[in-house]
Amino acid sequence: MADCSRNGGRLQFVPVLPPIITSLNFSFNNLPHLSSDFFSNVTQLSFVDLTGNGLVSVDQHAFRGLDNLTTITLDSNFLDFNSLRPVLNVSTLIQLQMRNIRNITFIPENIFIEFPLPNLKQLVLAGSNLGVLYLSDFKPLKKLTYLDVGNNRVHTLHVDTLPTLKYFVFTANRIEGDFITTCSDNNTSLFPMLGYLSLRSNGISSIHKSVCLPNLKILYLDSNKLDYLQKEMFLKFPKLQVLKLVRMHSYIKYIDPRAFANPSLENLYMSDNKIYFSSESISAQMFAGCPRLVLLQLDNNNFSSVTDAKFQELFGGHPELRKVYLGINQITNVTISTFKGLSNVEELNLYSNPIKDLPDGVFDHLVNLTILRLDDNLLSEIRETTFSVSTRQTDADENVSLPSVIAVVYLSDFVMSDQACLLSQSTSLLTAVLAAVLVVFMLTFLVLYKYRWHIRLALYEAFQRNPQQQQQQPEREYEYDVFVSYANEDVDWVRQELIPTLEGSETSLSAATSSTTSAPVCTRPSVSSLCCRRTSPGALVSVELVFCQNYVMERDDVLVLTLLAPISGRDMTDAISAMFKTTTYLAWGEEDDAR
């Protein structure tokens, strides 16, 4: 596939592609109009994705020459059926997908008679604004097997026969009342080949009328208004294998005996319905007549106060039952008789229940159990005697794949250590608190160490320089006003330029000089102290610097630093580094007249 998506409108045509490339992703490119020569460089394409381009119009010859084109995706554009005519004229199309095109408010009558699309098998019109839908509009599509008109605003559905249709998606529409009509006037099926039907998120509240779906295997009725499941209401679907009744708009309050009776039913999903299974209106015989039932998902209902007898009646008598989901069901107590009727179950999910204790031998009746979920309960311990020896040593070689985030206990590998929990909850909490305190201490120490010289200077200025606490030093007379320390290579400049300038200035300063090989001398000048240094810092310089620092700090004097040349950080001692970090200094200019 060639990916030319998300170019921000900079790409207005398809460049030449290798002949081996037959799929093109040209989505999100700000392409309001599809010109006649748009695909002239890539006539070998079989798949084109034009999603999210803001398409408003298509040239009538835009797809000319694309003799192998079988799939077009036009999701999230601004087209209607009038501007779609050039697309519908592509007779080789097998799949046409047009999701979230809000400009489609109706399907023109006879549009598919004008453009019969003889090879089209899949048509998606989900997310449009269809209020009324006539299935007769799709009858000219002789090979249509998949139709998706979900997430529209269809409140009225006019049915008609679609003999080739196998998948019908009608989710999130506004059909109310009874189940959709599936029988013709002579009681034959309008959809004889239909195997998958999704009616999620509508307003269906009953299934009273006759149902003619002889090959339907998968039925989704999630989020409808069914609150009363009557006896044998699903026998109308003779080949039904998967039934979903999850999260109904009206919580299910009544379930008759044999409500789910169906000789073909294998997987039943009824989670998130808040069903009170202890209620007398919820029959313990609801699953009777389901000899092939393999999976029961009943998460997020209410099993509190359900007796062992009703529990066994609900789940017993199903020889094929292998997986049972009872998570988030407010189960508080289980006994050694609770699971007596689930001898063939291989996977039992009891997560997120307030179970506090597991009696010894509670799972002994589950002789085929290989997966058990007990996470998010209130168990303080699991005793070794909870599981029988035969249960713990059950041979389970099957490959069971579950998401890694799910806590799974493989009973074949179950071994209890002498200490079930290495750390109690209080110990774990204390460990976490101590670790947090240690981290805070280390961070604080690192910060204080980094700014230790700044802190020392701040403390000095706050306390040592307090006029009320500092002992004034007596005034003394000094022979010199300025002390200059210099390197040997600067001797000529110091004697010929610096000293004459200082002694001949208006201040008439008297300067004492010393090379770097002499001992340090620091005097108190009449105006300020001045130290000049050009050499790389060494031990002698450090002594001089510390001497001057101590001198001025003891006497509340002023220390003026003049930097004649940059100093490498690796040559600085700690004292010099601290001075440059915490004290303002003067940088001597590099110009000739400054030197």
Side-chain angles (χ1 to χ4, degrees):
M1 173 182 284
D3 189 354
C4 299
S5 62
R6 301 183 185 278
N7 282 286
R10 296 187 299 272
L11 193 59
Q12 296 296 316
F13 66 94
V14 182
V16 178
L17 300 174
I20 195 174
I21 300 296
T22 59
S23 299
L24 172 67
N25 182 0
F26 203 86
S27 58
F28 303 103
N29 276 315
N30 190 20
L31 185 71
H33 175 71
L34 206 59
S35 62
S36 60
D37 58 349
F38 187 80
F39 296 107
S40 60
N41 291 326
V42 285
T43 56
Q44 76 273 19
L45 293 179
S46 63
F47 173 90
V48 173
D49 186 352
L50 297 170
T51 297
N53 276 302
L55 271 174
V56 177
S57 60
V58 180
D59 188 273
Q60 61 178 341
H61 300 300
F63 298 97
R64 179 176 54 189
L66 276 68
D67 299 331
N68 299 314
L69 189 59
T70 59
T71 303
I72 298 178
T73 301
L74 293 166
D75 299 348
S76 303
N77 283 291
F78 301 106
L79 301 166
D80 55 23
F81 268 97
N82 185 50
S83 55
L84 282 168
R85 289 177 176 272
V87 178
L88 301 177
N89 199 33
V90 182
S91 60
T92 56
L93 278 183
I94 296 176
Q95 301 178 29
L96 176 57
Q97 180 171 306
M98 299 181 289
R99 294 182 185 274
N100 301 318
I101 301 183
R102 310 303 293 179
N103 288 357
I104 296 180
T105 57
F106 69 99
I107 300 175
E109 189 176 1
N110 300 326
I111 187 70
F112 292 116
I113 295 178
E114 182 181 356
F115 303 100
L117 294 169
N119 297 296
L120 190 68
K121 294 182 179 180
Q122 297 186 23
L123 176 61
V124 178
L125 290 169
S128 299
N129 277 320
L130 298 173
V132 179
L133 183 65
Y134 293 86
L135 294 185
S136 58
D137 291 334
F138 304 104
K139 291 184 68 174
L141 305 175
K142 300 300 183 182
K143 293 187 177 181
L144 187 65
T145 60
Y146 183 99
L147 177 61
D148 184 353
V149 288
N151 294 282
N152 276 277
R153 300 181 179 181
V154 178
H155 53 79
T156 304
L157 176 64
H158 297 278
V159 298
D160 206 329
T161 180
L162 294 175
T164 61
L165 193 63
K166 295 181 179 180
Y167 301 87
F168 185 28
V169 181
F170 197 75
T171 61
N173 281 293
R174 299 180 179 179
I175 297 299
E176 300 284 340
D178 205 9
F179 196 77
I180 65 172
T181 300
T182 59
C183 300
S184 64
D185 293 338
N186 57 6
N187 213 33
T188 60
S189 177
L190 297 174
F191 314 102
M193 300 298 294
L194 192 65
Y196 175 98
L197 175 60
S198 177
L199 297 172
R200 284 175 174 160
S201 301
N202 279 281
I204 297 172
S205 57
S206 62
I207 309 178
H208 291 312
K209 65 179 65 172
S210 298
V211 177
C212 299
L213 295 173
N215 289 297
L216 187 68
K217 295 181 179 180
I218 301 175
L219 175 60
Y220 289 174
L221 287 171
D222 313 52
S223 301
N224 276 277
K225 296 181 179 179
L226 290 169
D227 61 354
Y228 181 20
L229 304 182
Q230 298 176 331
K231 180 179 180 180
E232 298 181 347
M233 68 184 299
F234 296 104
L235 270 178
K236 300 176 181 181
F237 307 91
K239 292 188 178 180
L240 187 64
Q241 296 178 1
V242 179
L243 174 61
K244 277 199 171 185
L245 298 170
V246 175
R247 201 177 297 109
M248 306 302 275
H249 289 317
S250 300
Y251 291 138
I252 299 174
K253 301 178 180 64
Y254 306 94
I255 303 180
D256 286 346
R258 295 179 58 84
F260 298 100
N262 189 301
S264 300
L265 187 62
E266 297 179 1
N267 300 324
L268 177 58
Y269 299 86
M270 296 180 61
S271 59
D272 300 308
N273 280 307
K274 307 298 182 185
I275 300 173
Y276 284 84
F277 279 88
S278 59
S279 172
E280 294 182 358
S281 62
I282 305 298
S283 173
Q285 291 291 322
M286 66 174 75
F287 303 126
C290 301
R292 300 182 63 183
L293 194 61
V294 175
L295 181 148
L296 265 177
Q297 188 184 66
L298 300 173
D299 292 341
N300 200 13
N301 285 289
N302 193 324
F303 271 78
S304 63
S305 304
V306 174
T307 64
D308 287 349
K310 187 168 187 177
F311 200 94
Q312 295 166 14
E313 195 173 2
L314 278 167
F315 300 106
H318 302 290
E320 301 297 324
L321 188 60
R322 297 292 183 268
K323 297 182 179 181
V324 178
Y325 291 82
L326 295 172
I328 323 175
N329 266 307
Q330 301 182 40
I331 299 174
T332 56
N333 297 301
V334 290
T335 71
I336 58 174
S337 300
T338 301
F339 305 111
K340 190 173 182 180
L342 284 73
S343 59
N344 294 310
V345 170
E346 298 174 355
E347 179 179 342
L348 177 61
N349 295 275
L350 295 171
Y351 52 83
S352 302
N353 282 292
I355 299 175
K356 295 182 178 179
D357 182 59
L358 295 175
D360 294 348
V362 65
F363 301 112
D364 285 0
H365 298 290
L366 303 171
V367 294
N368 292 303
L369 190 64
T370 58
I371 298 177
L372 174 63
R373 284 192 58 186
L374 290 168
D375 44 304
D376 294 323
N377 274 274
L378 300 179
L379 296 168
S380 58
E381 64 173 348
I382 299 179
R383 298 178 296 277
E384 187 171 356
T385 52
T386 298
F387 303 95
S388 66
V389 175
S390 60
T391 302
R392 287 187 279 117
Q393 294 180 350
T394 299
D395 185 14
D397 295 329
E398 296 84 354
N399 293 323
V400 181
S401 177
L402 288 174
S404 59
V405 297
I406 295 178
V408 179
V409 177
Y410 292 87
L411 297 185
S412 58
D413 300 326
F414 182 83
V415 176
M416 291 296 295
S417 61
D418 294 336
Q419 184 179 3
C421 298
L422 296 178
L423 294 176
S424 65
Q425 185 176 2
S426 58
T427 305
S428 300
L429 180 60
L430 179 61
T431 303
V433 171
L434 291 176
V437 171
L438 179 61
V439 170
V440 172
F441 173 78
M442 292 299 296
L443 292 176
T444 305
F445 175 78
L446 290 175
V447 172
L448 293 176
Y449 182 80
K450 181 178 180 180
Y451 295 101
R452 61 191 185 281
W453 293 106
H454 297 73
I455 296 173
R456 290 181 62 181
L457 181 61
L459 292 175
Y460 163 74
E461 292 179 345
F463 299 104
Q464 297 299 325
R465 301 185 68 173
N466 190 330
Q468 297 179 358
Q469 297 179 0
Q470 182 175 338
Q471 182 178 358
Q472 297 293 332
Q473 298 291 331
E475 291 293 334
R476 295 168 56 185
E477 295 294 332
Y478 295 95
E479 183 178 358
Y480 299 103
D481 299 302
V482 176
F483 172 73
V484 180
S485 178
Y486 58 90
N488 290 331
E489 59 265 32
D490 293 326
V491 61
D492 294 336
W493 177 78
V494 171
R495 292 178 177 177
Q496 298 174 13
E497 298 291 338
L498 180 60
I499 294 178
T501 301
L502 292 174
E503 294 180 342
S505 63
E506 294 180 0
T507 56
S508 299
L509 299 175
S510 177
T513 61
S514 175
S515 67
T516 55
T517 58
S518 63
V521 178
C522 194
T523 62
R524 177 180 175 84
S526 57
V527 290
S528 63
S529 297
L530 173 66
C531 291
C532 299
R533 170 63 62 184
R534 184 175 183 275
T535 62
S536 298
L540 184 59
V541 180
S542 299
V543 173
E544 293 176 358
L545 184 58
V546 172
F547 185 89
C548 291
Q549 281 183 279
N550 292 336
Y551 188 91
V552 298
M553 292 178 71
E554 290 174 357
R555 293 162 176 76
D556 194 22
D557 208 338
V558 178
L559 179 65
V560 179
L561 292 179
T562 304
L563 180 66
L564 297 182
I567 302 174
S568 173
R570 60 187 177 87
D571 293 328
M572 291 188 180
T573 63
D574 289 341
I576 295 177
S577 177
M579 181 61 69
F580 277 92
K581 288 180 179 179
T582 60
T583 305
T584 304
Y585 58 87
L586 302 177
W588 199 282
E590 296 289 341
E591 298 82 9
D592 291 337
D593 57 345
R595 292 296 180 182

